[in-house]
Amino acid sequence: MNFENFFWILQIFIAIGLIGSSIAAIRFKNLIAAVIAMAVFSLALSVEFYVLQAPDVAIAEAGVGAGLTTAMYLLAIRNTTDEEVIE
Amino acid sequence: MTPESLFMGAMILLFLSATLTMIRMLIGPTIPDRVVALDALTTTTAGAMVLYGVITEQAVIIDVALVYAVLSYIATLYIARYLVKKRVGLA
């Protein structure tokens, strides 16, 4: 296996993860499940930056995605309600 | 078979197991299932990041795996605190 084929196989896996987790983050009705899907999306995006040889952007994305947004979304959900309101 | 191709095969297997874990995250019926799936996913991906740093022979980008392994623990901790407070009745 040379590096070219390996790179494209990695790209296919990361694309599957990005598309699946973003569709899940939109479609989930439970808000905590949507926050978890957003965390998985941020993880896949960080791996994509990493594979494309940009480790500083990947570190920034990991810090913001895993630490900040999850905690802030959970604090916001805790101060409001848990379920999505469907009218 | 060179050592690089061996590492590449190991990294592809790690990504395959990460995909299976993500299926559990998508179909998991309860919230703790999804939290455990997220934790396993970050651990698997940190291992894959270290393997990628070995393959491309750049020691700088292994730091990303360390930072992610430290930070993903905060996310799991916050979700676990939220679930405990919700069960007790504080949230």
Side-chain angles (χ1 to χ4, degrees), chain A residues 19-86:
Chain A
I19 293 172
S21 61
S22 57
I23 289 175
I26 296 172
R27 301 288 292 182
F28 277 160
K29 291 300 180 201
N30 193 342
L31 290 181
I32 309 298
V35 168
I36 295 171
M38 275 299 292
V40 175
F41 178 78
S42 139
L43 169 70
L45 196 62
S46 174
V47 174
E48 176 68 34
F49 285 141
Y50 183 75
V51 167
L52 292 177
Q53 305 282 327
D56 43 355
V57 188
I59 285 181
E61 174 65 36
V64 171
L68 266 178
T69 59
T70 307
M72 284 177 63
Y73 279 144
L74 277 176
L75 287 176
I77 287 171
R78 199 168 75 187
N79 288 327
T80 56
T81 61
D82 200 346
E83 297 287 330
E84 185 176 359
V85 178
I86 303 168

Side-chain angles (χ1 to χ4, degrees), chain B:
Chain B
M1 177 180 283
T2 61
E4 282 84 9
S5 69
L6 205 61
F7 282 131
M8 287 173 191
M11 191 173 167
I12 286 173
L13 284 180
L14 275 180
F15 266 91
L16 202 62
S17 66
T19 308
L20 293 178
T21 317
M22 213 188 82
I23 290 172
R24 172 50 67 194
M25 195 278 294
L26 291 178
I27 68 173
T30 63
I31 298 297
D33 277 336
R34 293 189 164 114
V35 178
V36 172
L38 172 69
D39 206 19
L41 200 59
T42 41
T43 309
T44 311
T45 313
M49 281 176 173
V50 173
L51 277 183
Y52 191 77
V54 172
I55 288 168
T56 57
E57 294 178 351
Q58 284 179 328
V60 176
I61 59 182
I62 292 181
D63 297 342
V64 182
L66 291 175
V67 171
Y68 208 93
V70 169
L71 284 178
S72 70
Y73 142 79
I74 297 176
T76 310
L77 193 67
Y78 260 91
I79 298 173
R81 276 190 67 215
Y82 175 78
L83 290 177
V84 168
K85 282 197 173 184
K86 191 181 170 190
R87 172 166 295 180
V88 170
L90 289 177

Side-chain angles (χ1 to χ4, degrees), chain A residues 5-19 48:
Chain A
N5 296 332
F6 170 70
F7 184 76
W8 289 113
I9 291 171
L10 281 192
Q11 293 291 317
I12 288 170
F13 272 117
I14 294 169
I16 290 173
L18 280 172
I19 293 172
E48 176 68 34

